[in-house]
Amino acid sequence: MGGVSHTSLSPLPSSDRSDIAARLRRALLDASFTADGLLDLLGAPAYAALARSETVPALRATRGDTPLETLVRLFLLQQPVPHERVADVLPVEDALESGWLTRTGGDEVAASVDIRPYGGPDGEDWFIVSDLGCAVGGAGGIGSREEGVVLGVGGASTTLAGITVREPVGSALDLGTGSGIQALHVAQHATRVTATDLNPRALEIAALTLALSGAPAADLRQGSLFEPVRADETYDLIVSNPPFVISPGARLTYRDGGMGGDDLCRTLVQEAGDRLNEGGYAQFLANWQHVEGEDWQDRLRSWVPRGCDAWIVQREVQDVTQYAELWLRDSGDHRADPADYQARYDAWLDEFEARKVKAVGFGWITLRRTAAAEPSITVEEWPHSVEQPLGDAVREHFDRVDYLRRHDDAGLLAGHFRLVAEVVQEQVGLPGAEDPEHVVLRQHRGMRRATKVDTVGAGFAGVCDGTLSAGRILDAIAQLVGEDPVMLRDRTPAQIRLLVEQGFLEPVE
């Protein structure tokens, strides 16, 4: 990328000077160095280009000398800026003394870390601190990777933040915090936040992110997985965007777990159950292997700890060559010596071949601690578009699990239901045909599911407004279509159960 070339990790600002962080925050906000301010300054095309690690449009858009242009060039584009220009915008001497800025050749200063404006879910103006070269483009922004480097905001970070259940909790754990993005989110609704990371540099940067964003400090602990957590500590919420990449070796701390295959993700999931309070959630992003002769869904079911409900969604599958190429590009190996690139590629394929891995899945894993005698485990593939944030949809999934667990078929028929908002009905059939071949119900919110129903199911869903019980609705339909009401009551609960389970119908209790 454009800007200063960095061949080693720079010294970090002092995380002990919260007063400097607060003054720096005020200066950044006064200059509109925010997510909205960037979009207004750069325009949508240049702003989008930054996410692709392309800086030229942004460099062209910041050739002036306004405070905002100065800050974008300094903290996002890694350009040295004249000292006097920075002094007009920031408390420059304090920033130099505490390590946020460094002096370069001549009378110029440069940033020691990347700072990226980040909009919180309720319009908060936050700032994500990361190593130089890592804010732009998230995981793809730095040309070559170094051990210990701490990345900024990437697609995985925002995905996990979007699916996390947001409700007030007493205690939360961000396991593998990195630059502190998840800790920043959970600090808004958790009384006590613990954040861990194997990389001590990540903990320093997470502290800077929290301070610069005006968030409460977290309890920061160094160590792998649950090692830093005491045996008697449990949480209401655990979140983790772990180093889930399945790779030969553990070259890069930020992405390579250091265990064989998908063992790190499996271990994380299996150990989470004992760390959750009753009703608490654990939410992870993960990769998992598709192994020859094994059902991938069975593999994941075996990960779920006892005493936990689970909802596991596979969002993407890549064959082993696509997967290796993705992460070789991520680490910049495609720009290295061709022989080295080929050797690394070979090593990756050797690893997969030895483990009989034919593909790698990626997705979301949510656990919920339950006292139910028979926990619910749902493992599904859903590669289609969804509407983020999905935290409410995740919570509602488990609410529906509880409802269906409490109600047998007779209970369903006695229950009252309402068709969820923004569900539409589509009739599929040949043009001119009197009756449709099938009817599809489609959601326009949340998971955006679609499901086939028969004419009875479509008619039932269409009149569900919470006033009549399911049994009375079916009796009316039976009279309309000339069917035995007892037979209809016998065969329809399975369809009602499915419509509730997938979120098309909501119980009215």
Side-chain angles (χ1 to χ4, degrees):
M1 61 176 288
V4 180
S5 174
H6 301 278
T7 55
S8 62
L9 296 177
S10 303
L12 293 174
S14 169
S15 57
D16 297 330
R17 296 293 306 273
S18 59
D19 58 323
I20 300 296
R23 291 180 62 199
L24 193 57
R25 172 176 172 78
R26 283 195 299 271
L28 297 178
L29 293 175
D30 287 345
S32 296
F33 187 62
T34 63
D36 289 342
L38 281 189
L39 185 58
D40 289 342
L41 172 68
L42 303 178
Y47 190 68
L50 285 179
R52 303 190 300 270
S53 310
E54 297 292 349
T55 58
V56 171
L59 287 166
R60 291 172 62 85
T62 55
R63 288 179 288 195
D65 58 2
T66 67
L68 181 53
E69 287 170 300
T70 298
L71 293 175
V72 172
R73 292 177 76 83
L74 185 65
F75 287 120
L76 266 186
L77 302 179
Q78 301 302 285
Q79 301 294 303
V81 178
H83 181 286
E84 63 182 49
R85 277 180 61 185
V86 179
D88 291 338
V89 188
L90 300 176
V92 66
E93 296 307 322
D94 285 342
L96 284 164
E97 180 194 348
S98 57
W100 290 94
L101 300 176
T102 59
R103 295 186 186 275
T104 62
D107 192 27
E108 293 183 322
V109 297
S112 61
V113 288
D114 274 356
I115 299 175
R116 174 172 168 176
Y118 180 77
D122 295 314
E124 302 95 341
D125 287 315
W126 293 338
F127 299 99
I128 308 301
V129 179
S130 61
D131 271 316
L132 292 169
C134 296
V136 170
I142 188 169
S144 62
R145 296 291 189 235
E146 296 184 60
E147 178 64 25
V149 71
V150 180
L151 301 185
V153 182
S157 304
T158 54
T159 294
L160 179 59
I163 67 170
T164 300
V165 175
R166 303 290 174 199
E167 56 190 15
V169 294
S171 57
L173 171 65
D174 175 15
L175 196 150
T177 190
S179 56
I181 300 163
Q182 308 308 324
L184 181 56
H185 276 278
V186 298
Q188 310 309 303
H189 59 103
T191 304
R192 176 171 59 88
V193 178
T194 303
T196 71
D197 206 288
L198 180 63
N199 181 2
R201 187 176 181 86
L203 297 176
E204 291 184 68
I205 284 182
L208 296 173
T209 289
L210 293 168
L212 197 58
S213 298
D219 178 3
L220 301 171
R221 306 181 192 177
Q222 184 185 354
S224 176
L225 297 179
F226 289 102
E227 283 175 7
V229 179
R230 296 192 307 271
D232 61 343
E233 286 183 297
T234 55
Y235 298 88
D236 302 312
L237 175 65
I238 299 172
V239 292
S240 183
N241 177 17
F244 54 67
V245 176
I246 299 170
S247 59
R251 187 160 59 112
L252 300 169
T253 306
Y254 73 90
R255 70 168 203 195
D256 300 327
M259 295 187 187
D262 53 16
D263 282 355
L264 181 133
C265 291
R266 176 184 56 78
T267 302
L268 178 60
V269 173
Q270 288 180 336
E271 293 184 356
D274 290 337
R275 302 297 185 174
L276 283 176
N277 293 327
E278 186 69 29
Y281 290 93
Q283 299 188 262
F284 316 105
L285 301 184
N287 273 161
W288 43 79
Q289 298 172 152
H290 286 231
V291 179
E292 288 179 26
E294 177 186 78
D295 185 312
W296 67 271
Q297 294 179 319
D298 289 343
R299 182 182 192 85
L300 288 170
R301 285 190 188 93
S302 75
W303 290 9
V304 177
R306 293 179 61 183
C308 286
D309 293 325
W311 184 21
I312 302 173
V313 183
Q314 179 166 275
R315 296 287 289 154
E316 184 180 2
V317 182
Q318 292 182 306
D319 68 47
V320 291
T321 58
Q322 292 173 312
Y323 188 81
E325 290 161 15
L326 168 69
W327 294 109
L328 287 166
R329 284 194 303 274
D330 169 83
S331 55
D333 289 310
H334 61 305
R335 290 190 287 267
D337 178 83
D340 289 344
Y341 175 81
Q342 184 172 340
R344 290 193 190 281
Y345 200 153
D346 258 337
W348 226 301
L349 296 186
D350 284 345
E351 175 86 0
F352 285 134
E353 190 174 312
R355 294 179 178 278
K356 297 185 177 179
V357 176
K358 56 185 180 179
V360 176
F362 166 80
W364 320 322
I365 297 177
T366 300
L367 307 177
R368 186 189 59 166
R369 190 78 190 172
T370 181
E374 293 187 23
S376 162
I377 300 176
T378 301
V379 184
E380 63 176 320
E381 185 161 21
W382 190 254
H384 312 292
S385 66
V386 297
E387 183 192 47
Q388 286 275 34
L390 273 170
D392 286 347
V394 173
R395 178 179 48 75
E396 289 162 3
H397 167 88
F398 289 98
D399 288 346
R400 294 192 298 268
V401 164
D402 286 342
Y403 177 86
L404 292 172
R405 205 156 32 199
R406 292 194 307 268
H407 292 81
D408 58 14
D409 285 358
L412 284 185
L413 292 174
H416 294 240
F417 301 94
R418 184 188 300 118
L419 187 65
V420 171
E422 297 193 44
V423 171
V424 298
Q425 176 179 306
E426 300 172 0
Q427 296 189 347
V428 181
L430 294 173
E434 188 173 333
D435 295 313
E437 290 178 28
H438 57 262
V439 177
V440 173
L441 299 180
R442 188 178 301 278
Q443 301 167 350
H444 283 274
R445 302 295 300 273
M447 291 293 285
R448 294 177 173 161
R449 295 187 187 278
T451 189
K452 282 185 189 178
V453 291
D454 60 22
T455 52
V456 169
F460 177 85
V463 297
C464 276
D465 61 4
T467 56
L468 295 175
S469 70
R472 288 190 62 188
I473 292 173
L474 289 179
D475 290 344
I477 291 175
Q479 193 170 3
L480 278 172
V481 300
E483 189 167 340
D484 182 342
V486 176
M487 297 281 288
L488 198 59
R489 278 173 170 258
D490 280 348
R491 69 177 177 85
T492 308
Q495 195 166 189
I496 297 173
R497 193 171 290 277
L498 180 66
L499 291 174
V500 172
E501 183 183 311
Q502 296 192 342
F504 290 93
L505 294 176
E506 58 186 4
V508 179
E509 292 189 281

